[in-house]
Amino acid sequence: QVHLAESGGGSVQFGNSLRLSCAASGQTFRSSRMGWFRQAPGKEREFVAGIGWEGGKTSYQDSVKGRFFIFRDDAGKTVSLQMNNLRPEDTAVYFCAADRMPFQDMASPWDAYWGQGTQVTVSS
């Protein structure tokens, strides 16, 4: 019933940009935190960026600050991640996340619905 569908992944050269998008169906997340995680080969899934239910509170992993920017719609139907100045270490499968619990702040653990993931590969 709840489905999150990522799109926008691909293979790019060092320094290029990509925009990932995620569309929710079966349920919207107007009052819930949304975000992006990623998992690189041989590593655990890690937090990349999140945005609160108000739409104005954001949080980023240190390695992407100033390069990645997260956006969402007010209805909680979509969340996007603009990725600029991509580096090889950004190579990973990127997963869309929508928190099952409303009104969670960025310090709270995520209990999320997950998308299936989209591959981002950065060469050179």
Side-chain angles (χ1 to χ4, degrees):
Q1 49 185 329
V2 175
H3 180 66
L4 302 176
E6 302 98 336
S7 62
S11 298
V12 299
Q13 295 285 101
F14 176 88
N16 284 183
S17 297
L18 283 173
R19 176 172 289 187
L20 305 182
S21 297
C22 173
S25 61
Q27 182 179 325
T28 58
F29 298 90
R30 179 181 299 274
S31 301
S32 298
R33 180 175 50 174
M34 305 182 78
W36 292 89
F37 290 67
R38 67 187 181 188
Q39 186 169 21
K43 295 186 177 181
E44 296 182 351
R45 184 178 296 182
E46 65 178 0
F47 171 80
V48 178
I51 186 165
W53 67 273
E54 294 182 336
K57 308 296 182 182
T58 59
S59 181
Y60 297 92
Q61 184 195 99
D62 285 345
S63 68
V64 308
K65 287 181 178 178
R67 299 189 297 122
F68 290 13
F69 301 91
I70 188 169
F71 305 90
R72 65 174 290 165
D73 69 319
D74 291 339
K77 296 178 66 176
T78 61
V79 59
S80 298
L81 184 69
Q82 177 67 39
M83 304 184 294
N84 299 321
N85 193 23
L86 283 161
R87 306 167 179 171
E89 53 263 41
D90 295 318
T91 296
V93 177
Y94 283 71
F95 297 90
C96 176
D99 208 308
R100 293 173 178 265
M101 300 298 295
F103 307 116
Q104 297 294 291
D105 61 31
M106 294 301 171
S108 299
W110 289 71
D111 181 15
Y113 295 102
W114 299 97
Q116 294 182 354
T118 185
Q119 177 71 47
V120 172
T121 302
V122 185
S123 62
S124 184

